[in-house]
């Protein structure tokens, strides 16, 4: 895989920007894992979500954390994103949104859409919902198979249709690609265009959680490359704002399969409060990446004085990364792709693309 001189210059410029952003680390994206309960049992879920998990975090506890951040963040460059589990499992979600809005912050949500009725959607919009991501992982039979519910496709499409026609809502659809739905991508695109969706994020399934030992999620390198070739070609058509997800440096596919060069913003611009009060960055980072807990630590103090593991990746220059020619642009890839115990990179996007002849 070769980088053109033009692409190298662009990556060098972005590298300087990335280091400046890391040094300043302005907190702009704040996840709240409000519940671990879920109304589906998805085959590719990377979390421990179940219908009856640990109790939901009381909204008052999270709001206290949000209040403590008020002197330190700019509401014009800050958003609260509610995730789970499935946020729609919370009966008080509208009240949560109202309280966040009352504090001057826009808020968003990541959902499977199963329980998003027109009535609830209207309530959330009135409560300040300004950002929404809905998952769609195939056409009807495939989506229902992976989600484990025969109504999940119809309900997701209903939610997508509402969101795509809502004024003042930043909205995208998220698709996790696997062996079963790879060939469906063109038809999924047709469906999204029919629903007037403007933004589409496409990702692979990292083999952990329920997907770890499932062969359907073990893409060959050739299949892996097909995804990024597809995204690149659709981007050229300018018919929808499609982009690869934010994980993993893509080598020569940078700026062709996503809008901006690779940058893992976990712990740089992104923090999260998990359901048990743990303080992390991206909610995918758990275990050894936990930086504290809201029930004993001040979140702003944690944000300012910890997160070194996410802001200085020099520790990750081991194994295949040690002598990699792309290190200066990648710096060890997304942290959730590394083994939490050994620190070794388990899943390298560039390596897989090169194996496929890219």
């Amino acid at each position: 895989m070769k980088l053109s001189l033009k692409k190298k210059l662009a990556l060098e410029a972005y590298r300087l920007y990335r280091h400046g952003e890391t040094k300043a680390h302005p907190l702009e994206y704040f996840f709240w894992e409000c519940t671990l309960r879920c109304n589906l049992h998805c085959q590719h879920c990377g979390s421990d979500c179940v219908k009856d998990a640990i109790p939901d975090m009381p909204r008052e506890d999270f709001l206290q954390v949000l209040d403590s951040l008020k002197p330190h963040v700019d509401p014009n460059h800050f958003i609260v994103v509610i995730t789970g589990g499935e946020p729609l499992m919370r009966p008080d979600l509208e009240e949560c949104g109202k309280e966040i809005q009352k504090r001057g912050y826009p808020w968003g949500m990541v959902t499977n859409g199963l329980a998003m009725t027109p009535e609830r959607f209207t309530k959330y919009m009135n409560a300040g919902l300004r950002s929404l991501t809905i998952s769609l992982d195939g056409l009807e039979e495939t989506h229902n198979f992976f989600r484990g519910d025969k109504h999940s496709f119809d309900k997701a499409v209903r939610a997508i249709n509402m969101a795509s026609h809502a004024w003042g809502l930043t909205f995208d659809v998220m698709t996790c690609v696997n062996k079963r739905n790879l060939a469906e991508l063109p038809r999924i695109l047709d469906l999204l265009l029919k629903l007037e969706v403007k933004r589409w994020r496409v990702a692979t399934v990292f083999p952990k959680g329920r997907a770890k030992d499932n062969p359907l999620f073990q893409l060959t390198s050739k299949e892996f490359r097909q995804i990024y070739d597809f995204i690149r070609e659709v981007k050229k058509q300018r018919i929808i704002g499609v982009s690869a997800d934010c994980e993993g440096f893509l080598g020569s596919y940078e700026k062709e399969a996503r809008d901006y060069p690779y940058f893992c913003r976990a712990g740089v611009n992104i923090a999260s409060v998990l359901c048990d009060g743990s303080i992390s960055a991206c909610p995918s980072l758990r275990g050894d990446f936990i930086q504290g807990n809201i029930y004993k630590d001040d979140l702003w103090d944690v944000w300012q004085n910890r997160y070194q593991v996410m802001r200085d990746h020099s520790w990750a220059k081991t194994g295949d990364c040690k002598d990699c020619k792309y290190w200066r642009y990648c710096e060890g890839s997304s942290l959730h792709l590394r083994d939490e115990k050994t620190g070794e990179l388990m899943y390298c996007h560039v390596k897989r693309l090169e194996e496929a002849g890219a």
Side-chain angles (χ1 to χ4, degrees), residues 55-307:
D56 297 350
M57 177 181 287
R59 67 174 182 266
E60 293 79 9
D61 295 356
F62 177 74
L63 292 172
Q64 285 182 6
V65 174
L66 203 56
D67 288 338
S68 73
L69 292 176
K70 190 172 182 179
H72 309 291
V73 298
D74 179 358
N76 295 314
H77 299 281
F78 185 86
I79 186 170
V80 177
V81 179
I82 302 177
T83 184
E86 171 51 50
L88 296 177
M89 294 291 286
R90 286 190 69 120
D92 66 342
L93 187 59
E94 180 186 1
E95 288 73 21
C96 294
K98 286 180 178 178
E99 290 296 328
I100 295 170
Q101 181 186 45
K102 187 185 298 183
R103 287 158 172 78
Y105 301 113
W107 64 280
M109 175 170 43
V110 180
T111 176
N112 59 41
L114 185 69
M116 185 67 86
T117 64
E119 294 76 19
R120 295 185 78 174
F121 182 74
T122 299
K123 288 180 179 179
Y124 300 145
M125 289 293 293
N126 291 337
L129 180 67
R130 292 297 174 263
S131 172
L132 185 64
T133 294
I134 298 175
S135 297
L136 186 71
D137 294 317
L139 301 177
E140 184 170 6
E141 184 179 347
T142 299
H143 182 87
N144 289 345
F145 171 75
F146 285 119
R147 296 284 166 175
D149 187 293
K150 64 182 180 180
H151 303 295
S152 60
F153 176 82
D154 288 339
K155 297 294 179 64
V157 169
R158 179 180 68 175
I160 290 169
N161 189 49
M162 289 187 290
S164 66
H165 294 93
W167 183 86
L169 182 68
T170 299
F171 166 65
D172 66 355
V173 170
M174 178 76 165
T175 298
C176 291
V177 185
N178 49 75
K179 285 181 175 293
R180 180 157 173 162
N181 67 6
L182 177 59
E184 295 182 352
L185 288 177
R187 287 180 289 163
I188 297 172
L189 171 62
D190 291 341
L191 173 62
L192 297 182
L193 292 174
K194 183 178 179 181
L195 294 169
E196 300 184 40
V197 172
K198 302 296 189 296
R199 299 179 183 88
W200 184 24
R201 257 189 306 151
V202 179
T204 55
V205 178
F206 179 58
K208 73 175 188 178
R210 295 176 195 154
K212 184 177 181 180
D213 300 313
N214 191 327
L216 288 172
F217 305 110
Q218 312 302 318
L219 294 173
T220 66
S221 295
K222 182 179 178 181
E223 291 168 334
F224 191 77
R225 181 182 175 180
Q226 286 177 15
I227 298 169
Y228 297 101
D229 285 338
F230 171 80
I231 297 171
R232 183 168 60 183
E233 291 307 308
V234 174
K235 285 183 75 67
K236 289 178 181 178
Q237 297 176 43
R238 299 179 182 273
I239 54 177
I240 191 172
V242 64
S243 181
D245 197 27
C246 61
E247 71 174 23
F249 178 69
L250 300 176
S252 62
Y253 285 79
E254 290 293 336
K255 294 283 287 178
E256 295 179 16
R258 61 165 66 105
D259 296 332
Y260 300 98
Y262 167 74
F263 183 3
C264 182
R265 294 180 179 271
V268 177
N269 304 116
I270 300 172
S272 67
V273 171
L274 306 183
C275 198
D276 64 354
S278 294
I279 300 169
S280 187
C282 168
S284 296
L285 294 177
R286 312 176 95 89
D288 292 343
F289 291 112
I290 298 300
Q291 301 297 298
N293 192 289
I294 63 169
Y295 294 113
K296 63 178 183 179
D297 299 303
D298 176 73
L299 191 140
W300 185 251
D301 179 68
V302 171
W303 179 254
Q304 290 295 83
N305 298 301
R306 302 186 195 178
Y307 287 93

